[in-house]
Amino acid sequence: MYGMLMDRDPLVVANCVAALEEILASEGGIVLSKEIAHSLFNRLRDFPDWSQCIVMGVLSRYVPSNEGEVFDILNILEDRLKHANSAVVLGATKLFLHFTRNMDDVREDVLDRIKVPLITLMTASPHETSLII
């Protein structure tokens, strides 16, 4: 099934991610190579909203090799902060915070970057969503 993670159809890839996560749950889930992780990051916007959330959850286990790779990942995730679905925005926010947790020199910039989307969610979303944020 790992070969299907590189399929051209985003629905096939999204369903494959969900299936592999379920099948491999006792082993920690999908093993993310750099090639698989970058393919999923680059195709993130092609997946349906809820599949994006599942994929972002899986991608939170990926360990970038250096700061340059972290910045590349954050640049890819940038447009997910402007998404209409609050779950996608929160998933992207989680990844921004996760990948920069040990990068004190950029932490302030990341917090500034995620502040506006979070405030927008709080003011434009139903009361229940605002409480979660």
Side-chain angles (χ1 to χ4, degrees), residues 71-132:
F71 292 128
D72 290 342
I73 290 169
L74 297 181
N75 287 335
I76 292 169
L77 292 171
E78 183 84 22
D79 69 328
R80 301 296 84 200
L81 292 174
K82 300 172 190 164
H83 199 278
N85 187 315
S86 59
V88 172
V89 175
L90 291 175
T93 299
K94 175 184 171 185
L95 289 176
F96 264 76
L97 295 172
H98 173 72
F99 287 127
T100 59
R101 69 187 177 280
N102 297 324
M103 299 171 65
D104 295 333
D105 52 329
V106 298
R107 188 65 161 192
E108 190 72 30
D109 294 333
V110 167
L111 293 175
D112 284 341
R113 180 61 199 104
I114 64 174
K115 179 174 49 176
V116 172
L118 291 177
I119 290 172
T120 301
L121 276 180
M122 288 174 44
T123 58
S125 298
H127 183 66
E128 295 82 7
T129 304
S130 300
L131 290 174
I132 292 170

Side-chain angles (χ1 to χ4, degrees), residues 7 25 32 53 63 77 85 120:
D7 196 276
L32 291 170
C53 297
V63 180
L77 292 171
N85 187 315
T120 301

Side-chain angles (χ1 to χ4, degrees), residues 33-97:
S33 67
K34 184 174 183 175
E35 179 185 17
I36 291 171
H38 281 266
S39 174
L40 293 174
F41 278 120
N42 286 318
R43 298 189 64 196
L44 199 55
R45 69 176 52 125
D46 298 333
F47 302 133
D49 293 354
W50 293 110
S51 295
Q52 288 183 43
C53 297
I54 293 168
V55 171
M56 284 191 278
V58 170
L59 289 170
S60 69
R61 292 195 312 263
Y62 179 65
V63 180
S65 58
N66 57 49
E67 282 190 12
E69 186 178 2
V70 170
F71 292 128
D72 290 342
I73 290 169
L74 297 181
N75 287 335
I76 292 169
L77 292 171
E78 183 84 22
D79 69 328
R80 301 296 84 200
L81 292 174
K82 300 172 190 164
H83 199 278
N85 187 315
S86 59
V88 172
V89 175
L90 291 175
T93 299
K94 175 184 171 185
L95 289 176
F96 264 76
L97 295 172

